[in-house]
Amino acid sequence: MDVSSMKIRDMRKALDSKEISAKELAQTYFERIKRYDDKVKSFITVTEEKALEQAEKAQGVIDKGEAKALTGIPVAVKDNICTEGVKTTCASKMLENFVPPYNATVMEKLDAENIVMLGKTSMDEFAMGGSTQTSAFAKTKNPYDLDRVPGGSSGGSAAAVAAGLAPVALGTDTGGSIRQPAAFCGVTGIKPTYSRVSRFGLVAFASSLDQIGSIGLDAHDCAILLNEICGYDFHDGTSSKFEVPDFTAKIGESMKGMKIALPKEFYAEGINDEVKAAVLKAAEEYKAMGAELIECSMPSLKYAVPCYYLLACAEAASNLSRYDGIKYGHRTLTADSYEELIIKSRSEGFGEEVKRRILLGNYCLSSGYYDAYYRKAMALRQLIRKEYNDIFEKCDVILTPTTPAVAYSPEMTSDPVQMYQADICTVTVNIAGLPAISTPCGYDSKGMPIGMSVIGRKFDEATIIKTADAYEKGFKPVAPKL
């Protein structure tokens, strides 16, 4: 059975009809991982033995006729989500040998569904980056062109799905880290509303921005996975008690009468012409479906990247202070004093990008600079939220490019400022705590995928999933050739 382009709802039918067993399905994916992942390098840890045990257990549930939506379905998990008994490295030497004694809440929920975990996917170190090239262990390649990056920080998860090494995967999104790699790798990824999914057991980067979400071959698959990981969790103080609907409920509804906003700043200078043309063509297709296109403005977008990096780095500096070789993380073997122990442990354990962000975060929080930088960034956060609220008073969703350009070569990662500026289309969603989904809308002249983002109101994931699905039904994706 060719599973490389198979949707999880088709796998559900095949498993329930006994066309294939859960163990056979898992083994098919492990065969593909062994065949292709040396090229793609999407996994840090492959959990074949554990997965086959899970598959046997899932098969017992299926045989009893008690299967749920994800029973027996293989899932890949980003390596900053705690998995009991399985290494969770955050792609960093700092946590190279960390084996969590507990599961993240999302893993508890998925284990209750009897999923089959294929392994832990590579990522940018501590989720800091947009290329998956800051990983200390597996610098992932883009399945569409192995000489280009897959995006980040959830690049391993997106590449695994694109290459047919997993049907769906968990990722995390702090400033676009699900949507950007989904766009680069030609798959679909959703970042839900902040607080919709528990962050308990997620290794923190920036606590007011981080959110776990799903990556799949289409919006429907992402919705099925999202259905199972959302909900209130008393372990997470920011977890929402807002009702969790069935995110697939609106799929198939008409687009007629829907109002789609096109903020002019997202289509201005700095956006690649082919990317802009593909997204605007998709907008016209929505118009043909009966939707109304409304041009609008978001003036604060030009300040979004510095606002995001001030907020994210400030929180990162605080969250990563615990990794000192004493409380947590790598511990140097060559220290003669307490101070030297901390300095050497952190210097050896953290990579260059993580160090850069810790320095920036501590700088903007320091005495004399707090008001000049951090406080202004917090004020700008409120302005960005207000501008989104103003748009949503007139429109149902917002349509933008996911990224200013298609996947680039690893050489670009040597310029941090250029890398940060590439997040211009995604960071405002995290700053405002909104849900957004990225889905493929075309390919450039060299065959690289182009992604578009649909942004929605808080807790209205069902509408953006419906909107993405409506476009996907008429779009024919081109699979990568490995």
Side-chain angles (χ1 to χ4, degrees), residues 30 33 37 43-49 118-120:
F30 286 119
I33 290 169
D37 204 45
F43 286 90
I44 290 177
T45 303
V46 176
T47 53
E48 184 170 3
E49 185 177 343
L118 297 172
K120 307 297 290 292

Side-chain angles (χ1 to χ4, degrees), residues 3 11 22-23 25-33 43-52 54-55 72-77 86 107 115-121 160-161 164-169:
V3 297
M11 291 180 188
K23 186 174 181 179
L25 182 59
Q27 287 173 327
T28 301
Y29 275 102
F30 286 119
E31 287 169 8
R32 288 188 61 81
I33 290 169
F43 286 90
I44 290 177
T45 303
V46 176
T47 53
E48 184 170 3
E49 185 177 343
K50 179 181 176 71
L52 295 179
Q54 290 176 322
I73 300 296
V75 180
V77 179
V86 177
M107 295 310 301
I115 61 107
V116 176
M117 186 177 77
L118 297 172
K120 307 297 290 292
T121 57
V161 174
L165 309 184
V168 286

Side-chain angles (χ1 to χ4, degrees), residues 168-449:
V168 286
L170 289 181
T172 66
D173 195 310
T174 306
S177 291
I178 284 175
R179 292 160 287 145
Q180 185 245 33
F184 279 7
C185 292
V187 293
T188 301
I190 184 167
K191 176 239 174 248
T193 306
Y194 180 77
S195 78
R196 181 66 105 173
V197 181
S198 171
R199 290 182 297 108
F200 179 75
L202 168 64
V203 179
F205 165 12
S207 301
S208 74
L209 302 164
D210 297 342
Q211 191 59 83
I212 298 172
S214 55
I215 297 174
L217 289 172
D218 63 10
H220 199 144
D221 274 7
C222 287
I224 292 170
L225 181 55
L226 195 63
N227 273 342
E228 308 309 325
I229 62 174
C230 288
Y232 173 71
D233 177 20
F234 72 91
H235 290 111
D236 177 359
T238 62
S239 178
S240 172
K241 294 183 180 179
F242 207 84
E243 180 185 358
V244 180
D246 177 1
F247 296 120
T248 67
K250 290 186 177 182
I251 287 177
E253 288 184 3
S254 172
M255 291 293 295
K256 192 173 182 179
M258 274 196 68
K259 295 180 179 180
I260 300 177
L262 302 173
K264 63 182 182 181
E265 289 81 4
F266 283 90
Y267 299 88
E269 185 179 352
I271 305 298
N272 175 277
D273 288 341
E274 289 183 284
V275 170
K276 188 189 305 183
V279 179
L280 290 176
K281 182 175 181 290
E284 290 300 318
E285 292 186 32
Y286 280 124
K287 187 176 180 180
M289 295 179 203
E292 180 183 353
L293 304 181
I294 299 176
E295 291 188 9
C296 61
S297 180
M298 193 172 178
S300 65
L301 185 67
K302 61 183 176 181
Y303 305 115
V305 170
C307 173
Y308 167 78
Y309 277 98
L310 285 167
L311 295 173
C313 292
E315 294 183 29
S318 176
N319 280 326
L320 270 62
S321 64
R322 71 193 71 177
Y323 302 106
D324 56 7
I326 299 170
K327 293 187 289 292
Y328 296 99
H330 166 78
R331 183 168 186 161
T332 187
L333 300 175
T334 59
D336 296 324
S337 67
Y338 172 77
E339 182 177 289
E340 189 179 8
L341 171 66
I342 294 175
I343 292 171
K344 283 194 171 184
S345 294
R346 288 171 68 82
S347 297
E348 294 168 6
F350 289 136
E352 292 303 310
E353 182 61 30
V354 174
K355 292 173 185 174
R356 184 180 294 117
R357 298 197 189 196
I358 291 172
L359 285 169
L360 176 58
N362 282 321
Y363 178 81
C364 74
L365 290 173
S366 61
S367 177
Y369 296 101
Y370 182 91
D371 289 337
Y373 295 111
Y374 186 74
R375 192 181 295 278
K376 284 184 179 178
M378 289 295 287
L380 186 56
R381 183 177 210 164
Q382 297 307 315
L383 178 60
I384 290 170
R385 286 173 173 168
K386 180 183 182 302
E387 289 183 0
Y388 270 121
N389 289 339
D390 290 344
I391 293 172
F392 283 123
E393 284 182 4
K394 303 174 184 177
C395 304
D396 298 301
V397 297
I398 300 169
L399 182 68
T400 75
T402 305
T403 58
V406 297
Y408 46 81
S409 69
E411 284 71 32
M412 180 178 155
T413 61
S414 62
D415 184 345
V417 175
Q418 191 177 2
M419 284 284 295
Y420 298 166
Q421 199 60 37
D423 294 335
I424 185 69
C425 295
T426 54
V427 294
T428 54
V429 167
N430 300 78
I431 291 169
L434 300 173
I437 188 168
S438 175
T439 194
C441 65
Y443 301 88
D444 77 352
S445 56
K446 294 184 178 178
M448 296 305 295

